[in-house]
């Protein structure tokens, strides 16, 4: 049972998403993940989102923003983003996505859901 007491996704879908996200994190060690959590200044809201997704990024850095769908396709990219960004979710299907913010010094990753 998922969000709001309704079925969020089936066991088969859950296994598919879990495998996808594990593959996306290949190369990250436990210490990498813990370090990222401590220094991860990427804020996304609302999550889950319906119409738009807002990002707040660390100050004084330029990021490339990438969004990857559940089958591993790059579906959105935006270069030279500083401080904040709002992304329309109108063309996104309902589902779970990975959002990556990459600068010269760090790579920040979050998962969000489009409803």
């Amino acid at each position: 049972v998922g969000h709001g007491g309704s079925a969020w996704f089936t066991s088969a879908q859950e296994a598919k998403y879990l495998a996808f996200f594990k593959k996306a994190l290949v190369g990250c060690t436990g210490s990498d993940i813990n370090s990222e959590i401590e220094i991860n200044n990427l804020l996304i809201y609302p999550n889950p989102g319906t119409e738009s997704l807002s990002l707040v990024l660390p100050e004084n850095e330029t990021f490339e923003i990438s969004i990857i769908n559940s089958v591993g396709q790059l579906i959105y990219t935006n270069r030279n983003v500083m401080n904040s960004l709002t992304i329309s979710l109108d063309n996104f299907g309902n589902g779970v996505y990975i959002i990556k913010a990459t600068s010269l010094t760090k790579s920040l990753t979050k998962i969000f859901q489009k409803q």
Side-chain angles (χ1 to χ4, degrees):
V1 174
H3 178 66
S6 62
W8 187 31
F9 44 77
T10 67
S11 295
Q13 288 171 316
E14 183 175 344
K16 178 180 145 188
Y17 289 131
L18 183 58
F20 169 71
F21 291 122
K22 282 183 178 179
K23 182 179 176 184
L25 294 174
V26 166
C28 291
T29 65
S31 61
D32 292 336
I33 293 168
N34 291 335
S35 297
E36 183 173 286
I37 290 169
E38 291 171 12
I39 63 168
N40 190 346
N41 294 324
L42 174 60
L43 173 65
I44 60 172
Y45 64 93
N47 191 11
T50 55
E51 297 175 10
S52 66
L53 184 70
S54 295
L55 286 69
V56 179
L57 299 156
E59 293 182 16
N60 302 321
E61 286 191 72
T62 302
F63 287 86
E64 176 177 296
I65 306 301
S66 302
I67 298 179
I68 301 164
N69 67 14
S70 61
V71 295
Q73 297 169 317
L74 178 65
I75 60 165
Y76 176 91
T77 193
N78 191 337
R79 292 180 170 83
N80 299 318
V81 177
M82 292 188 74
N83 301 323
S84 65
L85 176 68
T86 299
I87 300 169
S88 170
L89 299 178
D90 290 342
N91 294 321
F92 289 56
N94 291 349
V96 178
Y97 297 85
I98 294 176
I99 186 162
K100 293 183 179 184
T102 307
S103 73
L104 292 176
T105 61
K106 62 181 74 162
S107 180
L108 309 172
T109 304
K110 295 270 184 161
I111 296 172
F112 76 92
Q113 180 185 3
K114 162 62 173 10
Q115 290 184 333

